[in-house]
Amino acid sequence: METGLKGKTALVTAASKGIGKGIALALAKEGCNVIISSSNKANLEYAVKEIASTGAKVHAFKCDLNLKSDIQNLQNEIVALYGGADILVNNCGGPHPGFFEEIGEDKWDYAYEQVLMSPVRLIKLFLPYMKQKKWGRIINITSLSVYQPIDNLILSNTFRTGVTALAKTLSNRVASLGITVNNVAPGYVLTERIKELAENKSKVTGETAEKILEKMREEIPMQQIGKPADIANAVVFFASESSAYITGNTLHVDGGRVGSYL
Ligand code: NAD
């Protein structure tokens, strides 16, 4: 597939490891100039080395997505480098796990800023450049929790459906300007996040984290936990010219795990 991505500038947030890093790597391989950001400076340095080995131009900036000032500073840096970003991939750290009774207001506030407000702020800052260029791609990383609630992830269930509504509403607004807005919803992907969730569940159920991961694998029709590259391939598609007529969509990448028709 000819992606037409050579020379495009792509920002991937929360990309020092896991799914975000996988996406940055895939966009770099397609010839994008890649900017990654994360709250973890040390991991960012490792990620830059790995992504630069593709031959792509890579820049990394520390940005805690829960801090409005960090998001503004990130945009200032990118404007100074490239004028803006053609492709914005909104990824964030995973929200705190827990059932309703376990989540205090502090955690609700944190997850609201982390999951819903960070894409709102990033889109507000990067959309004017896309409008000016009459071309842009906004891709949000959500979760299978937008199709069916995951019992002990009430924060993810609540705020990721908000991101889905944001994307669809905004996609209509900018559709005639050459800008698409889509979501990629990962199923289970082998990263530190999924291991942390398994450990967290292990404390509640008494089963080992390994056993919980094994059960997750068995729930997937393909009988395999996904890799960051599986999610990245879907992001490359939404970023590419080939997806120009697709907007306001969510694609679940999950080995068949989502049980619904749509
Ligand atoms: P991960 O824990 O491997 O990586 C998370 C990344 O977010 C890291 O780079 C970390 O430094 C960064 N980060 C954390 N807090 C941050 C903050 N406040 N500001 C900026 N960066 C921050 O997680 P992952 O598995 O790659 O997940 C990425 C996203 O995809 C998460 O939102 C997660 O909930 C979602 N997701 C993951 C899975 C899965 O199975 N792994 C499934 C569905 C959805």
Side-chain angles (χ1 to χ4, degrees):
M1 184 178 80
E2 182 47 61
T3 59
L5 290 175
K6 209 169 168 43
K8 299 278 189 207
T9 298
L11 166 62
V12 188
T13 58
S16 66
K17 59 181 184 170
I19 291 172
K21 188 177 79 175
I23 294 168
L25 255 174
L27 291 169
K29 285 179 188 161
E30 292 301 324
C32 289
N33 303 320
V34 174
I35 301 131
I36 57 171
S37 71
S38 163
S39 55
N40 187 315
K41 201 161 182 281
N43 283 346
L44 267 180
E45 284 164 18
Y46 294 121
V48 165
K49 279 194 192 139
E50 198 177 334
I51 298 164
S53 70
T54 63
K57 248 195 233 170
V58 193
H59 289 90
F61 298 102
K62 186 176 178 302
C63 171
D64 183 333
L65 290 171
N66 277 62
L67 299 178
K68 201 175 168 178
S69 56
D70 271 19
I71 293 178
Q72 180 62 68
N73 290 340
L74 175 65
Q75 192 239 8
N76 294 344
E77 297 280 7
I78 295 172
V79 167
L81 277 171
Y82 293 112
D86 304 302
I87 300 159
L88 167 63
V89 182
N90 287 314
N91 182 45
C92 66
H96 207 280
F99 294 96
F100 181 78
E101 297 81 351
E102 297 158 3
I103 305 290
E105 282 215 15
D106 53 339
K107 288 187 181 135
W108 277 99
D109 288 344
Y110 191 89
Y112 164 71
E113 295 284 329
Q114 173 188 37
V115 180
L116 186 58
M117 284 314 291
S118 70
V120 168
R121 290 181 177 131
L122 286 155
I123 293 167
K124 264 201 184 300
L125 290 172
F126 286 96
L127 191 58
Y129 174 83
M130 295 179 187
K131 282 183 173 172
Q132 196 190 320
K133 285 190 85 177
K134 295 198 167 29
W135 197 96
R137 297 284 188 266
I138 297 168
I139 302 154
N140 306 304
I141 307 307
T142 61
S143 164
L144 62 79
S145 66
V146 303
Y147 293 92
Q148 52 198 72
I150 302 172
D151 287 348
N152 69 333
L153 287 183
I154 192 163
L155 295 174
S156 173
N157 302 342
T158 304
F159 292 115
R160 293 199 195 280
T161 46
V163 172
T164 309
L166 162 72
K168 179 62 186 162
T169 313
L170 178 66
S171 72
N172 291 339
R173 181 94 182 141
V174 297
S176 63
L177 307 175
I179 302 167
T180 65
V181 189
N182 290 293
N183 310 303
V184 174
Y188 301 139
V189 182
L190 198 59
T191 64
E192 278 176 38
R193 163 78 173 168
I194 201 86
K195 291 179 195 158
E196 278 163 22
L197 289 178
E199 273 154 28
N200 188 277
K201 200 165 178 186
S202 153
K203 286 181 199 144
V204 180
T205 64
E207 288 177 303
T208 64
E210 290 72 28
K211 182 76 197 157
I212 290 164
L213 280 172
E214 182 54 21
K215 280 189 172 171
M216 285 179 178
R217 189 184 67 72
E218 286 168 0
E219 284 170 21
I220 303 169
M222 285 190 187
Q223 300 282 295
Q224 291 169 37
I225 292 189
K227 304 179 293 300
D230 296 319
I231 309 306
N233 288 336
V235 172
V236 167
F237 172 65
F238 279 137
S240 75
E241 289 298 348
S242 307
S243 69
Y245 197 58
I246 303 175
T247 196
N249 234 294
T250 298
L251 180 61
H252 49 93
V253 181
D254 60 353
R257 171 68 181 75
V258 166
S260 63
Y261 289 116
L262 299 174

